[in-house]
Amino acid sequence: MKITESKLYRDKCYINGEWIEADSRETISVNNPANLEEIGTVPKCETAETKRAIEAANEAWPEWRAKSARQRSDILRKWFNLMIDNKEELAQIMTIEQGKPINESRGEIGYGASFVEWFSEEAKRIYGDTIPDPLTDRRIIVLKQPVGVVASITPWNFPNAMITRKCAPALAVGCPVVIKPASQTPFSALALAVLAEKAGFPKGTLNVITGKASAIGDELASNPIVRKLSFTGSTEIGKILLQKCAGTVKKVSMELGGHAPFIVFDDANIDDAVTGAMQSKFRNTGQTCVCANRIYVQEKVHEEFCKKFVDAVSKMKVGDGLNEENSSGPMIDEHSLSKVEEHVEDAVALGAKVAIGGSKHSLGLNFYQPTILTEVTPQAKITTEETFGPVAPVYKFKDEKEVIDLANNSPYGLASYFYSRDIGRIWRVSEALEYGMVGVNTGLTSKAEAPFGGIKESGLGREGSKYGIDDFIEIKYVNMCGLDK
């Protein structure tokens, strides 16, 4: 499929219910990472267009928040149904612009849609409280109200789900949204706007703006009309946005970098652990913030695990994600590929052994071989830095205390995983790991029903679940007096 032939293709921004170009008429080229061919262009918007999107959202806010929870729920449900009806086309668009294998793209469309379905239902369950007052002539009332205009800045690695996970709860409670998608993957965001328009969102309620990240990000973070900013991306950029948001004391959600430990204890089911490691490490070619970055295996089962892990990786097929047989696609760009190469070369120079892979793929371009490194040293960059690629470093450990200390020795605290069949150990390690999410005997934890988010330098707030709606709500206390007169 050519993206330009899709009925969901738009090469313009969506502001206040209209498809617009940048004021300058400048555009940004979008390339397929599998072959580097240009697949289209999008407007290169800057501050002026961002202000218009924010103002449009603000003008739409009174009408949107005034709708009943049932009315907002019904529109969100229509959006969900349209995503499911157009699942294949959305997946094709994603694979062409992002590179991930088509089956993974289909999975992401279903995953992304699940947040819209979940929050369409939660829209009707935003309960307040009535609290007994110490004095008999009054009552304490607690109301939950929408925070206001919400800005969402989303990454390229999950160009569908990161939008729905942020925007569905905002829209459910009555907040209009302004979305800034990554410049590498704008067409997935614009396709969602096409479907949102068909679902019946009032103009200005949902806006998508593409363009210069720094100019758009600065305006979204500093504009006083924006009352909440939700960002998924690197910890470095997240810290900059936090500083900018401080000027207007915005609410923020920050889903930032990770450096997930993946622990295999000697009482684990090794076959299950290998399956989990494959799912966690190599999904999306290792380009996820929750993927396994450090694989710790207890001494007794280290050799068995590594042998089976290498065997599983050897069966992976690398290539264009549109080919149904391929399970690993390209890196998003040359910069990402260079970082992977740097981490592998550094680890090997410090004594690591390449068990499989270890270099660019024969396909060239942005393709890298799925790689396993053993005997990795603590001094290697890959031990402390997020690689964001298809490289799995494996470490050996002796006992439970040692591996918990190793796992927690990181400024990041997003996702973690471990395999064990000892119920006592499962409780101890789950509570000891300093991470916002812990996967026990699984390499996949993300779902709409569960709170997604990290601690330490991995972020603030939660997305998904009943907790994910709280970040888009203000709590108002009403003291109602004189009730005995």
Side-chain angles (χ1 to χ4, degrees), residues 149-469:
V149 175
V150 171
S152 297
I153 301 177
T154 58
W156 52 262
N157 58 340
F158 289 93
N160 177 287
M162 296 304 96
I163 290 175
T164 59
R165 198 164 75 183
K166 296 176 186 301
C167 295
L171 293 164
V173 302
C175 299
V177 297
V178 179
I179 304 163
K180 165 60 176 79
S183 294
Q184 298 98 323
T185 56
F187 294 117
S188 290
L190 295 168
L192 285 175
V194 172
L195 298 180
E197 188 175 47
K198 290 183 179 180
F201 286 99
K203 68 176 186 177
T205 306
L206 183 146
N207 307 272
V208 179
I209 184 166
T210 63
K212 191 172 181 181
S214 58
I216 295 173
D218 283 352
E219 186 60 32
L220 293 175
S222 61
N223 193 306
I225 295 175
V226 176
R227 297 310 310 151
K228 164 69 190 283
L229 185 140
S230 180
F231 170 74
T232 295
S234 71
T235 296
E236 292 74 19
I237 299 300
K239 289 177 179 179
I240 293 171
L241 289 171
L242 278 169
Q243 291 175 334
K244 293 181 182 298
C245 287
T248 51
V249 196
K250 298 187 195 309
K251 294 189 76 168
V252 295
S253 294
M254 293 280 156
E255 198 265 282
L256 307 176
H259 201 248
F262 186 103
I263 305 167
V264 183
F265 288 103
D266 57 14
D267 64 315
N269 182 308
I270 301 303
D271 291 333
D272 288 350
V274 169
T275 298
M278 292 294 295
Q279 292 171 330
S280 177
K281 175 68 261 182
F282 295 106
R283 182 167 60 106
N284 199 18
T285 317
Q287 299 173 117
T288 83
C289 54
V290 295
C291 73
N293 280 275
R294 296 166 289 154
I295 299 178
Y296 296 106
V297 185
Q298 202 158 8
E299 289 176 331
K300 183 179 177 182
V301 294
H302 181 269
E303 184 177 348
E304 179 186 0
F305 175 87
C306 287
K307 182 180 179 180
K308 290 182 176 180
F309 194 25
V310 169
D311 182 60
V313 169
S314 70
K315 296 174 183 176
M316 295 182 70
K317 293 186 177 181
V318 179
D320 191 323
L322 289 177
N323 185 329
E324 298 271 355
E325 294 183 357
N326 293 330
S327 55
S328 183
M331 303 289 294
I332 189 66
D333 55 30
E334 186 179 358
H335 173 74
S336 297
L337 181 70
S338 296
K339 185 178 181 181
V340 169
E341 290 182 303
E342 177 190 352
H343 276 196
V344 172
E345 290 169 3
D346 172 75
V348 171
L350 290 171
K353 307 299 181 185
V354 177
I356 189 170
S359 62
K360 287 183 68 173
H361 197 275
S362 58
L363 291 169
L365 302 176
N366 291 328
F367 292 95
Y368 196 88
Q369 294 179 340
T371 297
I372 297 174
L373 302 176
T374 60
E375 300 180 37
V376 184
T377 64
Q379 294 77 27
K381 291 181 180 179
I382 204 168
T383 304
T384 56
E385 298 178 14
E386 188 176 26
T387 305
F388 231 64
V391 182
V394 182
Y395 307 77
K396 191 183 294 185
F397 74 93
K398 293 181 180 180
D399 56 40
E400 188 177 305
K401 182 183 183 304
E402 178 193 13
V403 79
I404 289 173
D405 290 341
L406 290 168
N408 288 340
N409 185 25
S410 172
Y412 301 105
L414 187 56
S416 59
Y417 310 87
F418 72 91
Y419 277 72
S420 173
R421 288 178 288 184
D422 181 323
I423 189 63
R425 170 176 279 164
I426 287 173
W427 275 107
R428 290 192 306 272
V429 177
S430 294
E431 294 176 354
L433 287 172
E434 296 172 354
Y435 291 83
M437 297 176 287
V438 182
V440 182
N441 295 324
T442 180
L444 298 173
T445 59
S446 302
K447 55 195 69 180
E449 297 82 358
F452 187 103
I455 61 175
K456 298 191 285 188
E457 293 190 23
S458 285
L460 302 166
R462 291 297 180 269
E463 295 179 338
S465 80
K466 67 176 184 178
Y467 304 102
I469 214 158

Side-chain angles (χ1 to χ4, degrees), residues 15 23 45-55 209 215 219:
I15 296 177
D23 292 350
C45 294
E46 296 197 34
T47 303
E49 298 91 338
T50 308
K51 286 182 177 179
R52 290 206 297 275
I54 293 169
E55 289 162 1
I209 184 166
E219 186 60 32

Side-chain angles (χ1 to χ4, degrees), residues 125-139:
R125 304 188 183 102
I126 304 167
Y127 305 134
D129 295 290
T130 303
I131 302 172
D133 193 285
L135 301 176
T136 59
D137 70 332
R138 57 200 64 190
R139 299 292 185 273

